Amino acid sequence: MTDEPASAPRRPLTLRDVSDESGVSEMTVSRVLRNRGDVSEATRNKVLEAAKRLGYVPNKIAGALASSRVNLVAVIIPSMSNMVFPEVMTGITQVLDRTDLQPVVGITNYQPDREEDVLYEMLSWRPSGVIIAGLEHSDASRAMLRASGIPVVEIMDVDGEAVDAVVGISHRRAGREMAKAIVKQGFERIGFLGTKMPMDHRARKRFEGFTEALAKTGLEVVEQEFYSGGSALVKGREMTEAILTRDPDLDFLYYSNDMIGAGGLLWCLEKGIDVPGRIGMAGFNGVEFLKGLPKRLATMDAERIEIGRAAAQIVADRASGAVTETGQRIELEPRLQVGDTLRRYKP
Amino acid sequence: MTDEPASAPRRPLTLRDVSDESGVSEMTVSRVLRNRGDVSEATRNKVLEAAKRLGYVPNKIAGALASSRVNLVAVIIPSMSNMVFPEVMTGITQVLDRTDLQPVVGITNYQPDREEDVLYEMLSWRPSGVIIAGLEHSDASRAMLRASGIPVVEIMDVDGEAVDAVVGISHRRAGREMAKAIVKQGFERIGFLGTKMPMDHRARKRFEGFTEALAKTGLEVVEQEFYSGGSALVKGREMTEAILTRDPDLDFLYYSNDMIGAGGLLWCLEKGIDVPGRIGMAGFNGVEFLKGLPKRLATMDAERIEIGRAAAQIVADRASGAVTETGQRIELEPRLQVGDTLRRYKP
DNA sequence: ATGAAAGCGCTAACAC
DNA sequence: GTGTTAGCGCTTTCAT
């Protein structure tokens, strides 16, 4: 019996092993494995066969160190269970799949110090670019991003100062436009339901834009309700019940995201409340999920896939050297989806 | 004007720069930055200040090459937009956060050849371990996993042959137990709704267990409906309508996941169908989401967070050298959640 | 078309 | 407690 089963070698294979096995120099083996430079068909095949026979997997660590090229793109987002960020990832992947770049995801759980750690960790792998959610970062994080010397794209939000490039929508504007659409339908006693603000800058900006636009028409948010943690759908129900108990005369509820909006909508329908005849509702994000509800909640599409695509394109262009420009700014237009809960029945 | 703004240096900083700035040898700088070995408080501070002043971020590529230690754990999953896998990630993160290991996620979109690519890419970074969803992989993937010489944990499913360690539930058993629970309530004309099988081995196994257990009681699935792609909630509605149109006498619908089950439930409630009096329903996964629906869909909890935790623990133990055992097998028990759609009203 | 030598930035191992 | 030396496994560069 041997101590070293073929199935789990103690020492990982190196180029050297493939070189020995094939009788070709390390250098030429390297060229074959990377499709670089001219190699005769004969040696090429010898090498490929040897590599496959041995089950050789190149060591990217050594390769990256030698070439100072790393085909990774750091993607730093607050959460994965949000429905929003997986879609951003879809957009990023769509574009990066056409290049040799690979996304690597880091999760911050909406905590600035966690973001700092994750960023530090990722930058220490010297990625080809960074795509990071939001414009609000700790001073240390911004310093790291600036000092990294690699393309940085801040995504989701354009309301603020960017380190380098930025792709997103204006959440203030999204809030304003929703306010206008609501007022236009004649709603007047408006309640707001959302996340606790400090955790979510984009929700805060939407709220600010919303109240600002209402103020211009002489209206204001007459009741508010906030939550944190827990199942958003359940929270939406609970908050809706709470706010309508406090003020039964509200005629519109604006939710800071679709999930709590969906919860509120389900609750109202169960209670036999006429939506939108008696009360109108709207959420934010435009998640696909809404299509399956009894009524389609009004919402505003946050252009998530498109944001991911555009951000990845900026990184890819810059990493390939084709583009040297920095500080690109792409503002996408949030699209109002009227659905079934915003347009009032004509009396 | 200078060509080289301090904000974006051409050349990334090295240990050497910190050494020069602090007047301490590279080696000692390295020790300080890694908290290794004894360093006097004085030099320690000198180094830390110099590093911070310069904004130095260590190069993990070089570090990993020199030490042949990489604190990354490759996590390979089919999808992020599934609600299931983010929860597995939560469990993994909970455990890894207490170590110096970091998860790196790769997405396969349920495609075996994509899985092969992602795996190859990740292994080439020489991670400390691999956590990979499912037991079904291409021969090449299995060969790579075996040859890697690092801990491999296959998760979610225990029905099959594992490369190394495995943590999950038996989906066949989950299907069997749901069948028994349904039969026990006196349901007899049972329909099944699910994903197209070849894409989803775990759903297939649940279906097999389900039909097998039904057969033992002399029953069978009398109608089936399959889907692929699209919004699961919408698909659930459409499939439910289709299957009940084909066979209006069905008295139970078993869905292969909670999302399509939720769609079906909403559709039935809208149509005024008495659930579970007229027709019973059950899904699979136990997603939190169900709590916010008008009725709680019966389901079976897949123990996702616990699976993530246990898998990460195996990798962490093995990576630390504390445990050398291989081939661990942890089978968790899926828990039936009766909800409101399985227990028949007493007549 | 192929090979030889040097070195990427760091850490292990060993001095002192 | 601190410094020195020799690589880690590749790729770059320059020969041939």
Side-chain angles (χ1 to χ4, degrees):
Chain A
M1 254 185 116
T2 164
D3 286 335
E4 212 176 278
S7 52
R10 244 309 106 269
R11 180 181 63 74
L13 297 165
T14 67
L15 261 191
R16 179 63 182 263
D17 296 309
V18 181
S19 171
D20 289 350
E21 174 83 11
S22 63
V24 176
S25 80
E26 279 189 53
M27 195 52 237
T28 302
V29 171
S30 167
R31 279 195 267 258
V32 171
L33 264 24
R34 286 176 301 143
N35 291 312
R36 280 280 138 81
D38 293 325
V39 180
S40 75
E41 201 54 35
T43 44
R44 173 178 194 72
N45 287 336
K46 262 197 289 187
V47 170
L48 254 21
E49 276 167 35
K52 170 160 266 181
R53 199 158 45 233
L54 295 173
Y56 172 70
V57 176
N59 185 331
K60 287 226 178 195
I61 297 171
L65 183 61
S67 65
S68 43
R69 249 191 296 273
V70 178
N71 69 337
L72 301 176
V73 176
V75 179
I76 299 176
I77 56 180
S79 157
M80 259 305 181
S81 30
N82 192 298
M83 278 201 150
V84 171
F85 297 105
E87 290 199 48
V88 175
M89 283 307 304
T90 301
I92 290 174
T93 306
Q94 282 177 7
V95 170
L96 293 190
D97 273 355
R98 276 183 244 136
T99 72
D100 66 342
L101 295 172
Q102 268 233 330
V104 181
V105 184
I107 307 290
T108 68
N109 289 320
Y110 291 96
Q111 296 162 14
D113 55 335
R114 185 93 193 105
E115 178 179 277
E116 218 174 287
D117 291 348
V118 170
L119 186 58
Y120 186 80
E121 186 71 20
M122 300 211 126
L123 287 180
S124 71
W125 286 100
R126 303 284 188 266
S128 293
V130 177
I131 295 174
I132 184 168
L135 291 162
E136 282 76 19
H137 316 290
S138 72
D139 288 344
S141 292
R142 300 174 72 96
M144 276 190 273
L145 287 170
R146 257 191 301 266
S148 70
I150 59 176
V152 174
V153 186
E154 289 167 280
I155 56 169
M156 312 307 287
D157 185 9
V158 300
D159 296 328
E161 195 110 346
V163 169
D164 178 3
V166 57
V167 178
I169 64 168
S170 165
H171 286 261
R172 269 189 237 287
R173 176 171 159 191
R176 280 200 303 272
E177 298 200 348
M178 186 56 88
K180 285 187 211 161
I182 292 167
V183 171
K184 197 170 172 187
Q185 294 295 321
F187 295 105
E188 291 184 326
R189 292 191 56 77
I190 299 163
F192 177 86
L193 305 90
T195 48
K196 291 223 189 327
M197 295 297 171
M199 305 185 61
D200 189 340
H201 297 284
R202 295 181 283 287
R204 190 200 70 226
K205 290 172 185 175
R206 288 196 295 279
F207 182 64
E208 288 168 3
F210 188 72
T211 53
E212 177 197 314
L214 281 189
K216 282 206 179 138
T217 70
L219 290 176
E220 56 175 20
V221 168
V222 299
E223 276 292 349
Q224 309 182 17
E225 193 75 26
F226 300 102
Y227 81 106
S228 63
S231 158
L233 207 57
V234 174
K235 290 290 178 186
R237 302 177 95 91
E238 296 172 353
M239 291 163 76
T240 303
E241 175 160 22
I243 203 170
L244 287 179
T245 302
R246 274 213 309 287
D247 188 339
D249 294 332
L250 292 173
D251 66 1
F252 201 93
L253 299 177
Y254 179 41
Y255 295 86
S256 78
N257 68 63
D258 288 339
M259 268 313 237
I260 55 174
L265 175 60
L266 288 174
W267 185 84
C268 286
L269 295 179
E270 272 167 60
K271 295 294 170 192
I273 297 173
D274 174 14
V275 179
R278 160 72 192 81
I279 193 164
M281 312 180 104
F284 179 83
N285 266 333
V287 298
E288 192 184 40
F289 173 80
L290 296 182
K291 291 185 198 142
L293 296 179
K295 292 199 174 192
R296 284 167 308 153
L297 183 68
T299 189
M300 196 158 268
D301 192 308
E303 303 282 2
R304 299 174 302 284
I305 292 190
E306 205 40 63
I307 286 174
R309 260 210 273 263
Q313 195 61 57
I314 289 175
V315 171
D317 287 346
R318 208 99 78 76
S320 74
V323 172
T324 56
E325 179 197 358
T326 64
Q328 293 92 330
R329 184 174 188 284
I330 301 184
E331 177 174 348
L332 299 170
E333 312 251 322
R335 280 173 318 209
L336 179 66
Q337 295 179 0
V338 174
D340 307 313
T341 65
L342 173 57
R343 192 158 287 150
R344 233 169 184 177
Y345 312 132
K346 295 293 171 202
Chain B
M1 255 185 112
T2 163
D3 286 335
E4 212 175 278
S7 53
R10 248 302 112 269
R11 180 181 64 75
L13 296 166
T14 68
L15 261 192
R16 179 63 182 262
D17 296 309
V18 182
S19 171
D20 289 349
E21 175 83 9
S22 62
V24 176
S25 80
E26 280 188 54
M27 196 52 234
T28 301
V29 171
S30 167
R31 280 195 264 257
V32 171
L33 265 22
R34 286 177 302 143
N35 291 312
R36 281 279 141 88
D38 293 325
V39 181
S40 76
E41 200 56 33
T43 43
R44 175 179 192 70
N45 288 335
K46 262 197 293 188
V47 169
L48 254 22
E49 277 166 34
K52 170 160 265 180
R53 197 158 48 234
L54 295 173
Y56 172 70
V57 176
N59 185 332
K60 287 225 178 198
I61 297 170
L65 183 61
S67 65
S68 43
R69 246 191 302 271
V70 178
N71 68 338
L72 301 175
V73 176
V75 179
I76 300 177
I77 56 181
S79 158
M80 259 307 181
S81 28
N82 194 299
M83 279 202 151
V84 171
F85 297 105
E87 290 198 49
V88 176
M89 284 307 304
T90 300
I92 291 174
T93 307
Q94 282 177 8
V95 171
L96 294 190
D97 274 355
R98 278 183 244 137
T99 72
D100 66 340
L101 296 172
Q102 268 232 332
V104 181
V105 184
I107 307 289
T108 68
N109 289 319
Y110 291 96
Q111 296 162 15
D113 54 336
R114 184 95 193 104
E115 178 179 274
E116 217 173 290
D117 292 348
V118 170
L119 186 59
Y120 185 81
E121 186 71 20
M122 301 213 126
L123 287 180
S124 71
W125 287 100
R126 301 287 188 266
S128 292
V130 177
I131 296 174
I132 184 167
L135 290 163
E136 283 75 19
H137 315 290
S138 72
D139 288 344
S141 292
R142 299 174 72 97
M144 276 191 272
L145 287 169
R146 257 192 300 267
S148 71
I150 59 176
V152 173
V153 186
E154 290 167 278
I155 57 169
M156 312 307 286
D157 184 9
V158 300
D159 296 328
E161 195 109 347
V163 169
D164 177 2
V166 57
V167 178
I169 64 170
S170 164
H171 287 261
R172 267 188 239 286
R173 177 171 158 191
R176 280 200 303 270
E177 298 201 347
M178 185 56 88
K180 286 186 210 161
I182 291 167
V183 171
K184 197 171 172 186
Q185 293 296 322
F187 295 106
E188 291 184 323
R189 292 191 55 79
I190 299 163
F192 177 86
L193 306 90
T195 46
K196 290 223 189 331
M197 296 297 171
M199 304 185 61
D200 188 341
H201 298 284
R202 295 181 284 286
R204 190 200 70 225
K205 290 172 185 174
R206 288 196 295 279
F207 182 64
E208 288 168 2
F210 188 73
T211 52
E212 175 197 315
L214 281 189
K216 282 204 179 138
T217 70
L219 290 176
E220 56 176 19
V221 168
V222 298
E223 276 291 347
Q224 309 183 15
E225 192 76 26
F226 300 102
Y227 81 106
S228 64
S231 158
L233 208 57
V234 174
K235 290 291 177 183
R237 302 178 95 93
E238 295 171 353
M239 290 162 76
T240 303
E241 175 160 21
I243 203 170
L244 287 179
T245 302
R246 274 212 309 285
D247 187 340
D249 294 332
L250 292 173
D251 66 2
F252 200 94
L253 299 178
Y254 180 39
Y255 295 86
S256 78
N257 70 63
D258 287 339
M259 269 312 240
I260 56 173
L265 175 60
L266 288 173
W267 185 83
C268 286
L269 295 178
E270 272 168 58
K271 295 294 170 192
I273 297 172
D274 174 13
V275 178
R278 161 71 192 79
I279 192 163
M281 310 181 107
F284 179 83
N285 267 331
V287 299
E288 192 183 40
F289 173 79
L290 296 182
K291 291 183 199 144
L293 296 179
K295 295 201 173 192
R296 285 168 308 153
L297 183 68
T299 188
M300 197 157 267
D301 192 305
E303 304 282 2
R304 299 175 300 285
I305 293 191
E306 206 40 65
I307 287 175
R309 261 209 272 263
Q313 194 62 57
I314 290 175
V315 171
D317 287 346
R318 208 98 77 77
S320 75
V323 172
T324 55
E325 180 199 357
T326 63
Q328 292 91 331
R329 184 172 189 285
I330 301 184
E331 176 173 349
L332 300 170
E333 311 250 320
R335 280 174 317 211
L336 179 67
Q337 295 179 0
V338 174
D340 308 313
T341 65
L342 173 57
R343 193 159 287 151
R344 231 171 185 173
Y345 310 131
K346 295 290 171 203

